[in-house]
Amino acid sequence: MQKDPPKAITLRQVAARAGVSAATASLVLNGKGEISEATRLRVLESIEHFNYMPRRARPRDESATTIRFLKIARHGHTVNRDHNHFIADYIDGMSHEATRRGYSLQVVSLDAAEIPDIAASLRDGGLRGAVILGTELSQAEVRQIAALPRPMVFIDTYHPFLNLNFVDMDNDQAVHSAVEHLAGCGFTRIGMVGSDAQVTNFALRRRAFSQAMQSLGLHEDPDAILSVDSTLEGAHRDSLQQLSGRSQIAQAYFCANDIIAHGFIRALRETGHDVPGDVSVVGFDNLPMSAMTQPALTSINVPKRRIGTMAIRLLDDLLQARKPQPASKVLITGELIVRDSTRPAHPPEANPRG
């Protein structure tokens, strides 16, 4: 007996899973209304869970307008629950721009994905093009995926010598602004907490840190460079191990992302160091939690929705072109958000009472 085809997911199902009304879910889909970050994130995660595509965006000939976002996690050290909102912002920007340009955006999550799994998703005959989350992809893996005959744009990674299309944050500018802020606070002994996790942006930020220190005339002390796991618990564990027993640490640290910064701050406290009283700390990503911790974390804000929007614009250019186009590499500028985890090295003394 032939089975009936599965019914299409409805907006009400998406809304029910997110715990909101269908009207609220619709506002999130269309980028309208005053919706809280937490609510918007729940709706976007529900959309991803169901691979939901709005009915009005479903054309009669879907193969003519379908593009796909591949959320790829190779090892899960950065593409995980701690960064779900980060990915949701990418999807938000892509979804709005895709709808505006008449495309249907599909979101496909590939966890612990191998290259054949990724290739199979890209060989789908009904697909026009794809945006690839390259956070946890090595340069060799990017090459392998790009060899498939499908227009594609990689986001959240950047390889300057590959003749491919990338949209990423400008790590050089962002890290320089972080180090410059710490130098402006009067610190001369500035360290970095990075990670050996296979994430290209981490390597780019490590290089950018050295360049920033050199351009600002600061000495880079190898003993002030730490490398930790990129998960919250792993960063805390490794930071605690490396800080324990040290007689001296740097006055301030730049951390490769906010998750590492939160784990590092926890380890600093457990080894008797106050933040920012003894040590100032700067993160990268400006996660929502960073504004709510004690102390609130100074961090680099990444314009994630703009990166998602730019990826769709670039992909659309490739799809509309009548002949092969030269590769484009787009870097989006970030912004330093100063909060309570940094303060001047020598705060001015209070004025004596007259």
PDB file of all heavy atoms in Angstrom, residues 66-70 94 104-108 120-124 126-132 312 315:
ATOM      1  N   THR A  66      15.538  27.653  -5.289  1.00  0.00           N
ATOM      2  CA  THR A  66      15.929  27.109  -3.992  1.00  0.00           C
ATOM      3  C   THR A  66      17.433  27.260  -3.765  1.00  0.00           C
ATOM      4  O   THR A  66      18.245  26.812  -4.577  1.00  0.00           O
ATOM      5  CB  THR A  66      15.557  25.624  -3.876  1.00  0.00           C
ATOM      6  OG1 THR A  66      14.146  25.489  -3.996  1.00  0.00           O
ATOM      7  CG2 THR A  66      15.997  25.055  -2.532  1.00  0.00           C
ATOM      8  N   ILE A  67      17.783  27.896  -2.656  1.00  0.00           N
ATOM      9  CA  ILE A  67      19.173  27.934  -2.218  1.00  0.00           C
ATOM     10  C   ILE A  67      19.238  27.345  -0.820  1.00  0.00           C
ATOM     11  O   ILE A  67      18.242  27.304  -0.098  1.00  0.00           O
ATOM     12  CB  ILE A  67      19.757  29.364  -2.245  1.00  0.00           C
ATOM     13  CG1 ILE A  67      18.920  30.319  -1.397  1.00  0.00           C
ATOM     14  CG2 ILE A  67      19.858  29.870  -3.675  1.00  0.00           C
ATOM     15  CD1 ILE A  67      19.456  31.732  -1.399  1.00  0.00           C
ATOM     16  N   ARG A  68      20.399  26.876  -0.430  1.00  0.00           N
ATOM     17  CA  ARG A  68      20.515  26.112   0.816  1.00  0.00           C
ATOM     18  C   ARG A  68      21.655  26.649   1.671  1.00  0.00           C
ATOM     19  O   ARG A  68      22.739  26.966   1.161  1.00  0.00           O
ATOM     20  CB  ARG A  68      20.759  24.641   0.477  1.00  0.00           C
ATOM     21  CG  ARG A  68      20.846  23.706   1.694  1.00  0.00           C
ATOM     22  CD  ARG A  68      20.842  22.260   1.224  1.00  0.00           C
ATOM     23  NE  ARG A  68      19.541  21.914   0.635  1.00  0.00           N
ATOM     24  CZ  ARG A  68      19.317  20.824  -0.106  1.00  0.00           C
ATOM     25  NH1 ARG A  68      20.310  19.983  -0.361  1.00  0.00           N
ATOM     26  NH2 ARG A  68      18.118  20.584  -0.596  1.00  0.00           N
ATOM     27  N   PHE A  69      21.387  26.731   2.963  1.00  0.00           N
ATOM     28  CA  PHE A  69      22.437  27.053   3.931  1.00  0.00           C
ATOM     29  C   PHE A  69      22.838  25.768   4.647  1.00  0.00           C
ATOM     30  O   PHE A  69      21.999  25.120   5.276  1.00  0.00           O
ATOM     31  CB  PHE A  69      21.946  28.085   4.948  1.00  0.00           C
ATOM     32  CG  PHE A  69      22.915  28.334   6.087  1.00  0.00           C
ATOM     33  CD1 PHE A  69      24.226  28.702   5.835  1.00  0.00           C
ATOM     34  CD2 PHE A  69      22.511  28.184   7.410  1.00  0.00           C
ATOM     35  CE1 PHE A  69      25.122  28.920   6.874  1.00  0.00           C
ATOM     36  CE2 PHE A  69      23.386  28.402   8.454  1.00  0.00           C
ATOM     37  CZ  PHE A  69      24.706  28.767   8.188  1.00  0.00           C
ATOM     38  N   LEU A  70      24.101  25.402   4.527  1.00  0.00           N
ATOM     39  CA  LEU A  70      24.603  24.209   5.198  1.00  0.00           C
ATOM     40  C   LEU A  70      25.296  24.612   6.494  1.00  0.00           C
ATOM     41  O   LEU A  70      26.361  25.236   6.480  1.00  0.00           O
ATOM     42  CB  LEU A  70      25.585  23.449   4.303  1.00  0.00           C
ATOM     43  CG  LEU A  70      25.038  22.853   3.002  1.00  0.00           C
ATOM     44  CD1 LEU A  70      26.096  21.956   2.357  1.00  0.00           C
ATOM     45  CD2 LEU A  70      23.762  22.066   3.255  1.00  0.00           C
ATOM     46  N   MET A  94      20.224  35.940   6.161  1.00  0.00           N
ATOM     47  CA  MET A  94      20.053  35.221   4.901  1.00  0.00           C
ATOM     48  C   MET A  94      18.592  35.090   4.518  1.00  0.00           C
ATOM     49  O   MET A  94      18.214  35.282   3.355  1.00  0.00           O
ATOM     50  CB  MET A  94      20.702  33.831   4.997  1.00  0.00           C
ATOM     51  CG  MET A  94      22.211  33.843   4.918  1.00  0.00           C
ATOM     52  SD  MET A  94      22.913  32.172   4.868  1.00  0.00           S
ATOM     53  CE  MET A  94      22.794  31.714   6.582  1.00  0.00           C
ATOM     54  N   SER A 104      13.905  30.738  -2.140  1.00  0.00           N
ATOM     55  CA  SER A 104      13.490  29.916  -1.004  1.00  0.00           C
ATOM     56  C   SER A 104      14.746  29.433  -0.293  1.00  0.00           C
ATOM     57  O   SER A 104      15.584  28.776  -0.904  1.00  0.00           O
ATOM     58  CB  SER A 104      12.679  28.709  -1.481  1.00  0.00           C
ATOM     59  OG  SER A 104      11.553  29.126  -2.210  1.00  0.00           O
ATOM     60  N   LEU A 105      14.889  29.782   0.975  1.00  0.00           N
ATOM     61  CA  LEU A 105      16.065  29.382   1.736  1.00  0.00           C
ATOM     62  C   LEU A 105      15.766  28.124   2.535  1.00  0.00           C
ATOM     63  O   LEU A 105      14.833  28.084   3.330  1.00  0.00           O
ATOM     64  CB  LEU A 105      16.497  30.501   2.681  1.00  0.00           C
ATOM     65  CG  LEU A 105      17.715  30.185   3.564  1.00  0.00           C
ATOM     66  CD1 LEU A 105      18.985  30.113   2.714  1.00  0.00           C
ATOM     67  CD2 LEU A 105      17.873  31.223   4.669  1.00  0.00           C
ATOM     68  N   GLN A 106      16.566  27.101   2.339  1.00  0.00           N
ATOM     69  CA  GLN A 106      16.508  25.887   3.151  1.00  0.00           C
ATOM     70  C   GLN A 106      17.701  25.871   4.092  1.00  0.00           C
ATOM     71  O   GLN A 106      18.810  26.247   3.709  1.00  0.00           O
ATOM     72  CB  GLN A 106      16.543  24.635   2.268  1.00  0.00           C
ATOM     73  CG  GLN A 106      15.360  24.470   1.349  1.00  0.00           C
ATOM     74  CD  GLN A 106      15.490  23.243   0.469  1.00  0.00           C
ATOM     75  OE1 GLN A 106      16.572  22.667   0.331  1.00  0.00           O
ATOM     76  NE2 GLN A 106      14.385  22.834  -0.134  1.00  0.00           N
ATOM     77  N   VAL A 107      17.482  25.443   5.319  1.00  0.00           N
ATOM     78  CA  VAL A 107      18.561  25.318   6.295  1.00  0.00           C
ATOM     79  C   VAL A 107      18.748  23.834   6.604  1.00  0.00           C
ATOM     80  O   VAL A 107      17.812  23.163   7.030  1.00  0.00           O
ATOM     81  CB  VAL A 107      18.246  26.091   7.591  1.00  0.00           C
ATOM     82  CG1 VAL A 107      19.382  25.927   8.601  1.00  0.00           C
ATOM     83  CG2 VAL A 107      18.010  27.572   7.277  1.00  0.00           C
ATOM     84  N   VAL A 108      19.949  23.332   6.386  1.00  0.00           N
ATOM     85  CA  VAL A 108      20.254  21.924   6.629  1.00  0.00           C
ATOM     86  C   VAL A 108      21.418  21.838   7.611  1.00  0.00           C
ATOM     87  O   VAL A 108      22.478  22.420   7.380  1.00  0.00           O
ATOM     88  CB  VAL A 108      20.616  21.183   5.321  1.00  0.00           C
ATOM     89  CG1 VAL A 108      21.037  19.748   5.611  1.00  0.00           C
ATOM     90  CG2 VAL A 108      19.435  21.206   4.360  1.00  0.00           C
ATOM     91  N   ALA A 120      26.847  15.185  -0.864  1.00  0.00           N
ATOM     92  CA  ALA A 120      25.528  14.658  -1.218  1.00  0.00           C
ATOM     93  C   ALA A 120      24.466  15.746  -1.115  1.00  0.00           C
ATOM     94  O   ALA A 120      23.566  15.828  -1.954  1.00  0.00           O
ATOM     95  CB  ALA A 120      25.180  13.481  -0.315  1.00  0.00           C
ATOM     96  N   SER A 121      24.565  16.597  -0.092  1.00  0.00           N
ATOM     97  CA  SER A 121      23.587  17.673   0.079  1.00  0.00           C
ATOM     98  C   SER A 121      23.703  18.704  -1.038  1.00  0.00           C
ATOM     99  O   SER A 121      22.710  19.289  -1.461  1.00  0.00           O
ATOM    100  CB  SER A 121      23.786  18.347   1.434  1.00  0.00           C
ATOM    101  OG  SER A 121      22.819  19.339   1.656  1.00  0.00           O
ATOM    102  N   LEU A 122      24.916  18.903  -1.548  1.00  0.00           N
ATOM    103  CA  LEU A 122      25.124  19.898  -2.596  1.00  0.00           C
ATOM    104  C   LEU A 122      24.803  19.367  -3.987  1.00  0.00           C
ATOM    105  O   LEU A 122      24.622  20.147  -4.925  1.00  0.00           O
ATOM    106  CB  LEU A 122      26.569  20.398  -2.562  1.00  0.00           C
ATOM    107  CG  LEU A 122      26.919  21.279  -1.349  1.00  0.00           C
ATOM    108  CD1 LEU A 122      28.417  21.539  -1.307  1.00  0.00           C
ATOM    109  CD2 LEU A 122      26.159  22.592  -1.420  1.00  0.00           C
ATOM    110  N   ARG A 123      24.735  18.045  -4.120  1.00  0.00           N
ATOM    111  CA  ARG A 123      24.432  17.458  -5.435  1.00  0.00           C
ATOM    112  C   ARG A 123      22.931  17.374  -5.692  1.00  0.00           C
ATOM    113  O   ARG A 123      22.512  16.932  -6.759  1.00  0.00           O
ATOM    114  CB  ARG A 123      25.050  16.057  -5.535  1.00  0.00           C
ATOM    115  CG  ARG A 123      26.565  16.060  -5.666  1.00  0.00           C
ATOM    116  CD  ARG A 123      27.073  14.704  -6.123  1.00  0.00           C
ATOM    117  NE  ARG A 123      28.520  14.683  -6.172  1.00  0.00           N
ATOM    118  CZ  ARG A 123      29.305  14.113  -5.249  1.00  0.00           C
ATOM    119  NH1 ARG A 123      28.725  13.515  -4.207  1.00  0.00           N
ATOM    120  NH2 ARG A 123      30.607  14.140  -5.364  1.00  0.00           N
ATOM    121  N   ASP A 124      22.120  17.800  -4.755  1.00  0.00           N
ATOM    122  CA  ASP A 124      20.670  17.788  -4.914  1.00  0.00           C
ATOM    123  C   ASP A 124      20.293  18.503  -6.212  1.00  0.00           C
ATOM    124  O   ASP A 124      20.621  19.672  -6.415  1.00  0.00           O
ATOM    125  CB  ASP A 124      20.037  18.496  -3.708  1.00  0.00           C
ATOM    126  CG  ASP A 124      18.522  18.413  -3.702  1.00  0.00           C
ATOM    127  OD1 ASP A 124      17.936  18.240  -4.782  1.00  0.00           O
ATOM    128  OD2 ASP A 124      17.937  18.529  -2.615  1.00  0.00           O
ATOM    129  N   GLY A 126      17.618  19.766  -7.264  1.00  0.00           N
ATOM    130  CA  GLY A 126      16.711  20.896  -7.182  1.00  0.00           C
ATOM    131  C   GLY A 126      17.325  22.141  -6.563  1.00  0.00           C
ATOM    132  O   GLY A 126      16.611  23.054  -6.196  1.00  0.00           O
ATOM    133  N   LEU A 127      18.640  22.167  -6.463  1.00  0.00           N
ATOM    134  CA  LEU A 127      19.329  23.243  -5.752  1.00  0.00           C
ATOM    135  C   LEU A 127      20.017  24.185  -6.735  1.00  0.00           C
ATOM    136  O   LEU A 127      20.708  23.745  -7.648  1.00  0.00           O
ATOM    137  CB  LEU A 127      20.359  22.632  -4.801  1.00  0.00           C
ATOM    138  CG  LEU A 127      21.022  23.534  -3.776  1.00  0.00           C
ATOM    139  CD1 LEU A 127      19.974  24.062  -2.799  1.00  0.00           C
ATOM    140  CD2 LEU A 127      22.099  22.761  -3.028  1.00  0.00           C
ATOM    141  N   ARG A 128      19.837  25.499  -6.532  1.00  0.00           N
ATOM    142  CA  ARG A 128      20.512  26.478  -7.386  1.00  0.00           C
ATOM    143  C   ARG A 128      21.907  26.810  -6.875  1.00  0.00           C
ATOM    144  O   ARG A 128      22.854  26.923  -7.649  1.00  0.00           O
ATOM    145  CB  ARG A 128      19.689  27.779  -7.436  1.00  0.00           C
ATOM    146  CG  ARG A 128      18.412  27.715  -8.234  1.00  0.00           C
ATOM    147  CD  ARG A 128      18.626  27.614  -9.737  1.00  0.00           C
ATOM    148  NE  ARG A 128      19.534  28.605 -10.301  1.00  0.00           N
ATOM    149  CZ  ARG A 128      19.224  29.867 -10.596  1.00  0.00           C
ATOM    150  NH1 ARG A 128      18.004  30.314 -10.331  1.00  0.00           N
ATOM    151  NH2 ARG A 128      20.116  30.673 -11.134  1.00  0.00           N
ATOM    152  N   GLY A 129      22.021  27.034  -5.585  1.00  0.00           N
ATOM    153  CA  GLY A 129      23.296  27.424  -5.017  1.00  0.00           C
ATOM    154  C   GLY A 129      23.270  27.239  -3.516  1.00  0.00           C
ATOM    155  O   GLY A 129      22.251  26.853  -2.944  1.00  0.00           O
ATOM    156  N   ALA A 130      24.399  27.523  -2.850  1.00  0.00           N
ATOM    157  CA  ALA A 130      24.485  27.252  -1.414  1.00  0.00           C
ATOM    158  C   ALA A 130      25.391  28.251  -0.714  1.00  0.00           C
ATOM    159  O   ALA A 130      26.343  28.788  -1.294  1.00  0.00           O
ATOM    160  CB  ALA A 130      25.003  25.837  -1.182  1.00  0.00           C
ATOM    161  N   VAL A 131      25.050  28.501   0.553  1.00  0.00           N
ATOM    162  CA  VAL A 131      25.926  29.221   1.481  1.00  0.00           C
ATOM    163  C   VAL A 131      26.431  28.187   2.471  1.00  0.00           C
ATOM    164  O   VAL A 131      25.637  27.446   3.056  1.00  0.00           O
ATOM    165  CB  VAL A 131      25.177  30.357   2.207  1.00  0.00           C
ATOM    166  CG1 VAL A 131      26.105  31.040   3.213  1.00  0.00           C
ATOM    167  CG2 VAL A 131      24.630  31.371   1.208  1.00  0.00           C
ATOM    168  N   ILE A 132      27.738  28.131   2.664  1.00  0.00           N
ATOM    169  CA  ILE A 132      28.367  27.101   3.485  1.00  0.00           C
ATOM    170  C   ILE A 132      28.949  27.725   4.749  1.00  0.00           C
ATOM    171  O   ILE A 132      29.735  28.680   4.665  1.00  0.00           O
ATOM    172  CB  ILE A 132      29.511  26.388   2.726  1.00  0.00           C
ATOM    173  CG1 ILE A 132      29.081  26.004   1.307  1.00  0.00           C
ATOM    174  CG2 ILE A 132      30.013  25.195   3.512  1.00  0.00           C
ATOM    175  CD1 ILE A 132      28.031  24.950   1.234  1.00  0.00           C
ATOM    176  N   ILE A 312      24.034  36.174   0.688  1.00  0.00           N
ATOM    177  CA  ILE A 312      22.948  35.970  -0.279  1.00  0.00           C
ATOM    178  C   ILE A 312      23.114  36.913  -1.471  1.00  0.00           C
ATOM    179  O   ILE A 312      22.896  36.523  -2.633  1.00  0.00           O
ATOM    180  CB  ILE A 312      21.575  36.179   0.384  1.00  0.00           C
ATOM    181  CG1 ILE A 312      21.351  35.136   1.486  1.00  0.00           C
ATOM    182  CG2 ILE A 312      20.457  36.117  -0.661  1.00  0.00           C
ATOM    183  CD1 ILE A 312      21.336  33.698   0.988  1.00  0.00           C
ATOM    184  N   LEU A 315      25.823  35.443  -3.612  1.00  0.00           N
ATOM    185  CA  LEU A 315      25.355  34.238  -4.290  1.00  0.00           C
ATOM    186  C   LEU A 315      24.395  34.599  -5.416  1.00  0.00           C
ATOM    187  O   LEU A 315      24.443  34.006  -6.509  1.00  0.00           O
ATOM    188  CB  LEU A 315      24.679  33.309  -3.284  1.00  0.00           C
ATOM    189  CG  LEU A 315      24.191  31.957  -3.831  1.00  0.00           C
ATOM    190  CD1 LEU A 315      25.342  31.144  -4.402  1.00  0.00           C
ATOM    191  CD2 LEU A 315      23.475  31.163  -2.734  1.00  0.00           C
TER     192      LEU A 315
END
